[in-house]
Amino acid sequence: MRSHGLPDFPEVTVSSDGLINLDIKGDRVDAFSREYGAAVKACESMLPVGAGLPGAPVAPSAPSLPS
């Protein structure tokens, strides 16, 4: 991630159940930035088998209006 445009990217650990944990001590990582997206794509093949990154949040559907 650091060599792909995010020089201040935090340390990363992967838990035994495949969750990726970031040790964030300073600024937050903007997971919606173009730089983050490009770095994730460049590094995705380096993830351990079974590990995955969270996707973008999805807004809930609006309720139907009564007729």
Side-chain angles (χ1 to χ4, degrees), residues 43-59:
C43 300
E44 201 164 24
S45 64
M46 297 167 55
L47 290 172
V49 174
L53 296 168
V58 178

Side-chain angles (χ1 to χ4, degrees), residues 32-45:
F32 299 108
S33 71
R34 180 177 296 154
E35 292 85 4
Y36 178 82
V40 166
K41 285 185 182 190
C43 300
E44 201 164 24
S45 64

Side-chain angles (χ1 to χ4, degrees), residues 7 23 27 41 47 52 60 62 67:
D23 184 15
D27 293 336
K41 285 185 182 190
L47 290 172
S67 328

Side-chain angles (χ1 to χ4, degrees), residues 10-31:
E11 289 299 316
V12 177
T13 58
V14 180
S15 68
S16 61
D17 57 352
L19 295 176
I20 295 174
N21 301 296
L22 303 176
D23 184 15
I24 299 173
K25 294 181 179 159
D27 293 336
R28 308 283 291 162
V29 173
D30 181 1

